[in-house]
Amino acid sequence: MASPLILLTLTTLLFHLPSTLSQSAPAPGPAGPINITAILVGGGQFNSFRRLLNETRVLDQLPNQLNNSNQGMTIFAPTDNAFQNLPAGTLNGLSEEKKVKLVLYHVLPKFYSMDDLVTVSNPVPTQAGSSRGSLGLNFTGRASQVNVSTGVVETQINNALRKDFPLAVYVVDKVLLFQEDAPAPEGASSPPGTKPSAKAPSSPAADGDGATPSKNGGGRIVDMGMGLVGGLVLFCMAFL
Ligand SMILES: *[C@@H]1O[C@H](CO)[C@@H](O)[C@H](O)[C@H]1NC(C)=O
Ligand SMILES: *[C@@H]1O[C@H](CO)[C@@H](O)[C@H](O)[C@H]1NC(C)=O
Ligand SMILES: *[C@@H]1O[C@H](CO)[C@@H](O)[C@H](O)[C@H]1NC(C)=O
Ligand SMILES: *[C@@H]1O[C@H](CO)[C@@H](O)[C@H](O)[C@H]1NC(C)=O
Ligand SMILES: *[C@@H]1O[C@H](CO)[C@@H](O)[C@H](O)[C@H]1NC(C)=O
């Protein structure tokens, strides 16, 4: 008879789980839920990032994800100055989907201390990563001197608003912009002689229907969102 055995195992697990958790919880503190808004407000110069997190609704997902993950999370918070230094119209020019993707690019689905970041193997997946494994971040440097690179932007990680498991929030003085829509296959770039003329608005025509790529891009983001929600649901069910 297998089922009593399974039941027994489950019961054993259930009884051991809480004690395992409390044993491994290092901080006895009041440990209320982590309030990301409060962390950013406390930092004093992260209003743009906080607004973007809120506006994209990513702020609603993060606490749940953090609560339901045993991996923790790492967030790179660009300063207000970083947002001011963006070329005019950068954010306003983004679709809602692209904004979400940009925000998620600042989130790693795992906790990394500064020491971890020095030794981590590149590229490190971000929350914006697609199934194609793109959209990672690269980290270089040595103790307390770590740079993060997107391929477009490189900047130093200066400071931590929070550095204890399960959530690290690091200050960056640049918005981590990434390469738009993946470097097209090397072979696909136009031959030297055919540099697209700046005055020709019809240049995308060479690639066929210009609307198709962005449509696909949106689809991927929806898929990703569904995947996240589905994953959370599955995770919650595992605990019921
Ligand atoms: C998080 O902190 C912010 C700012 O301090 C506060 O307005 C908000 O109510 C807090 N949220 C929760 C869920 O405690
Ligand atoms: C968050 O966004 C919602 C709507 O997107 C808005 O109504 C609300 O005022 C925003 N909150 C903050 C603190 O910016
Ligand atoms: C976090 O998870 C615990 C159980 O793991 C649950 O009791 C608590 O309500 C959750 N908190 C939030 C904010 O989801
Ligand atoms: C980090 O980036 C800065 C520019 O922001 C550069 O000057 C420095 O050499 C880089 N350091 C490392 C270790 O890559
Ligand atoms: C990150 O580093 C890997 C190799 O370590 C390299 O192939 C890749 O192009 C780099 N990506 C970025 C975004 O810098």
Side-chain angles (χ1 to χ4, degrees):
M1 294 277 280
S3 43
L5 188 63
I6 291 173
L7 258 182
L8 184 66
T9 314
L10 275 178
T11 316
T12 316
L13 270 178
L14 281 176
F15 273 101
H16 278 89
L17 193 55
S19 63
T20 315
L21 283 177
S22 55
Q23 269 167 21
S24 63
I34 294 173
N35 184 333
I36 294 171
T37 305
I39 292 170
L40 293 175
V41 169
Q45 44 169 346
F46 302 93
N47 295 316
S48 304
F49 187 55
R50 187 168 54 78
R51 271 198 303 270
L52 196 59
L53 275 169
N54 176 58
E55 178 194 328
T56 54
R57 297 271 152 247
V58 170
L59 190 58
D60 298 342
Q61 309 167 14
L62 293 185
N64 286 327
Q65 195 190 344
L66 192 54
N67 197 30
N68 289 320
S69 160
N70 53 13
Q71 299 268 67
M73 183 182 285
T74 302
I75 299 177
F76 297 98
T79 58
D80 288 337
N81 218 4
F83 279 93
Q84 267 156 33
N85 287 338
L86 286 176
T90 303
L91 276 190
N92 289 338
L94 294 178
S95 65
E96 287 309 308
E97 289 89 346
K98 286 270 170 62
K99 277 187 192 167
V100 171
K101 203 168 182 180
L102 178 63
V103 172
L104 292 177
Y105 191 54
H106 289 72
V107 179
L108 311 179
K110 190 171 186 304
F111 171 85
Y112 295 95
S113 68
M114 284 290 252
D115 288 345
D116 293 338
L117 290 177
V118 173
T119 55
V120 75
S121 78
N122 290 322
V124 177
T126 68
Q127 198 72 14
S130 68
S131 51
R132 297 176 303 163
S134 57
L135 289 180
L137 286 170
N138 278 358
F139 296 90
T140 52
R142 41 196 189 295
S144 74
Q145 249 270 334
V146 182
N147 276 11
V148 55
S149 165
T150 73
V152 181
V153 167
E154 175 169 25
T155 191
Q156 212 168 321
I157 298 170
N158 291 313
N159 226 323
L161 294 180
R162 189 184 196 282
K163 56 184 176 184
D164 298 317
F165 187 86
L167 176 68
V169 182
Y170 296 113
V171 177
V172 285
D173 58 12
K174 288 184 186 159
V175 178
L176 303 179
L177 298 175
F178 52 83
Q179 193 98 48
E180 257 326 310
D181 258 1
E186 303 284 322
S189 62
S190 25
T194 60
K195 194 157 68 171
S197 143
K199 69 179 171 162
S202 60
S203 57
D207 298 332
D209 180 6
T212 310
S214 60
K215 209 168 144 199
N216 287 344
R220 279 202 304 277
I221 286 164
V222 169
D223 286 351
M224 189 175 70
M226 296 301 283
L228 186 66
V229 171
L232 284 176
V233 169
L234 277 179
F235 196 96
C236 293
M237 285 173 67
F239 274 93
L240 289 179

